[in-house]
Amino acid sequence: MMRILAISDLMYRAVITLYPTSFLRAHGEAMAQLFRDSCRDAFRQDGVVGLVAVWGRVLRELIPTIVSEHLTEANVMQRGLVREWSEGDARQRREGGVGVVDASGYINADGGDAIYEIVERLLAVDLRRIVLNCSDMKRVNSIGISRLRESLQQIDSRGGKATMCGVSSTIAKTFGVMGVTQLTDLYETEQDALVSVELD
Amino acid sequence: MTNPDPQTLLPLTPAVFHILLSLVTDERHGYAIMQEVSERSQGKVKLGPGTLYGAIKRLLANGLIEEIDERPDPDLTDERRRYYRITGFGIRVTQAETTRMADLVQLARTNPGLIAGEPA
């Protein structure tokens, strides 16, 4: 019994690698565990017939759900490429399994909203490791920072991790006073920020 | 961020509606959701892992459910399992969907052709 379940588990783990990496990172382990539980109970109840029934259900949903997750990810990454406001813009891109938000110009209420929106889009495709690159950020105001804090808190509440890089010394001081640095670490270069966010 | 109007998320897919219903009464992990949905629908709806977690992903993204850290009963549960609970917004969306479907059923029931059991 144990052997057939172990083989079934291995096969399922191989099959689900077809899902997008970010989806797999967020839910792969839980899916594998759910599949394992389903197989164990079905096998106990109906033997091999039960196991085959579970596999039948999985295979029926496999192609549609894999296609759907890939399409969702591609769509979100394309749609949210640039978000502009009167005094700046925010762009999203992807570096491996990390979502990067490039924010430039003046981060006021509109800028903060734009960053929040992009962060939400990244979280929607399970890119929960996010680097906010502030190299081209010129100024910030209190509402922009407040929205930025909400973005960081949102990432944290979804089990993700965020880091920031390229913050000028003036803005870094303001971030310190406004409590942003309690929510995330600041790095000089994007590379350092990427390494840190990927390590955790 | 304020939540959008629940109507903008309707209609829900059957899988999503069943998942929300299963979470209205209790916080559950994925396998418990799957079992509850199967039981509640008398075996007519059986969610596979891909469908379930695809739906969970979207529900989390829209703020209809949230993942919780605490375990409902630490003695009986596996530490590795992830538990979910419905949010206030999720309840409002579920209520809105229930009303939408009830209105549809009401509309169908007042159709003379259906009442007679034959096309009008």
Side-chain angles (χ1 to χ4, degrees):
Chain A
M1 170 183 169
M2 295 307 288
R3 190 165 177 195
I4 193 169
L5 290 180
I7 293 170
S8 174
D9 187 37
L10 278 177
M11 284 167 61
Y12 184 69
R13 282 179 181 276
V15 163
I16 61 174
T17 56
L18 295 170
Y19 284 97
T21 316
S22 55
F23 180 75
L24 216 50
R25 186 178 280 168
H27 303 293
E29 199 48 50
M31 285 168 68
Q33 184 170 16
L34 187 147
F35 177 77
R36 202 165 46 242
D37 291 343
S38 303
C39 288
R40 185 200 57 217
D41 289 353
F43 194 80
R44 256 187 218 151
Q45 209 172 335
D46 300 313
V48 176
V49 175
L51 192 59
V52 170
V54 173
W55 265 105
R57 199 159 61 236
V58 164
L59 291 176
R60 270 200 304 278
E61 68 155 24
L62 201 64
I63 302 293
T65 55
I66 286 172
V67 170
S68 162
E69 293 308 328
H70 277 286
L71 284 176
T72 306
E73 182 165 330
N75 189 27
V76 167
M77 291 309 289
Q78 213 164 12
R79 263 192 308 132
L81 220 51
V82 183
R83 173 80 159 70
E84 293 175 323
W85 64 97
S86 59
E87 294 174 85
D89 65 51
R91 299 159 190 268
Q92 71 179 46
R93 61 193 156 88
R94 187 175 179 158
E95 295 292 336
V98 180
V100 180
V101 183
D102 296 300
S104 67
Y106 179 31
I107 308 302
N108 51 14
D110 291 338
D113 279 346
I115 292 170
Y116 189 96
E117 191 184 304
I118 288 182
V119 163
E120 277 285 298
R121 286 179 180 184
L122 294 172
L123 291 172
V125 292
D126 283 324
L127 277 172
R128 300 184 194 193
R129 289 155 199 259
I130 296 173
V131 170
L132 181 59
N133 189 327
C134 308
S135 303
D136 295 320
M137 198 179 277
K138 304 297 178 208
R139 285 187 297 145
V140 288
N141 72 6
S142 57
I143 304 174
I145 290 180
S146 163
R147 301 293 287 123
L148 201 55
R149 284 176 56 98
E150 285 177 38
S151 297
L152 297 170
Q153 283 161 345
Q154 179 71 343
I155 295 166
D156 184 57
S157 74
R158 299 278 294 281
K161 190 185 176 194
T163 56
M164 296 172 94
C165 65
V167 183
S168 72
S169 55
T170 315
I171 294 178
K173 271 184 204 160
T174 313
F175 280 173
V177 172
M178 300 289 285
V180 174
T181 48
Q182 288 167 5
L183 301 171
T184 186
D185 295 325
L186 308 186
Y187 291 88
E188 203 167 317
T189 67
E190 183 177 304
Q191 190 55 37
D192 290 344
L194 284 169
V195 169
S196 161
V197 86
E198 274 179 326
L199 275 180
D200 198 33
Chain B
M1 284 296 275
T2 52
N3 287 315
D5 179 357
Q7 299 291 334
T8 60
L9 295 178
L10 306 187
L12 303 178
T13 64
V16 162
F17 187 59
H18 278 291
I19 292 168
L20 288 172
L21 280 183
S22 77
L23 291 172
V24 166
T25 47
D26 253 323
E27 296 153 351
R28 298 178 201 274
H29 53 72
Y31 189 51
I33 293 172
M34 199 186 83
Q35 287 177 312
E36 169 70 11
V37 169
S38 176
E39 208 170 294
R40 190 185 287 272
S41 66
Q42 294 167 324
K44 287 177 192 154
V45 181
K46 292 194 173 186
L47 302 172
T51 306
L52 179 67
Y53 280 97
I56 283 177
K57 185 187 92 170
R58 281 172 257 285
L59 288 167
L60 286 168
N62 285 307
L64 275 69
I65 63 171
E66 60 194 1
E67 199 175 324
I68 53 171
D69 291 330
E70 66 268 32
R71 298 290 177 258
D73 186 347
D75 294 337
L76 298 175
T77 57
D78 185 337
E79 263 299 300
R80 293 165 302 174
R81 289 188 192 277
R82 287 153 67 175
Y83 281 77
Y84 303 95
R85 76 167 152 231
I86 195 165
T87 61
F89 180 56
I91 297 267
R92 289 201 298 281
V93 171
T94 310
Q95 286 167 335
E97 178 67 349
T98 306
T99 304
R100 187 191 71 81
M101 288 196 290
D103 289 347
L104 271 180
V105 171
Q106 179 63 27
L107 193 67
R109 285 196 170 139
T110 55
N111 185 309
L114 288 177
I115 292 168
E118 292 170 10

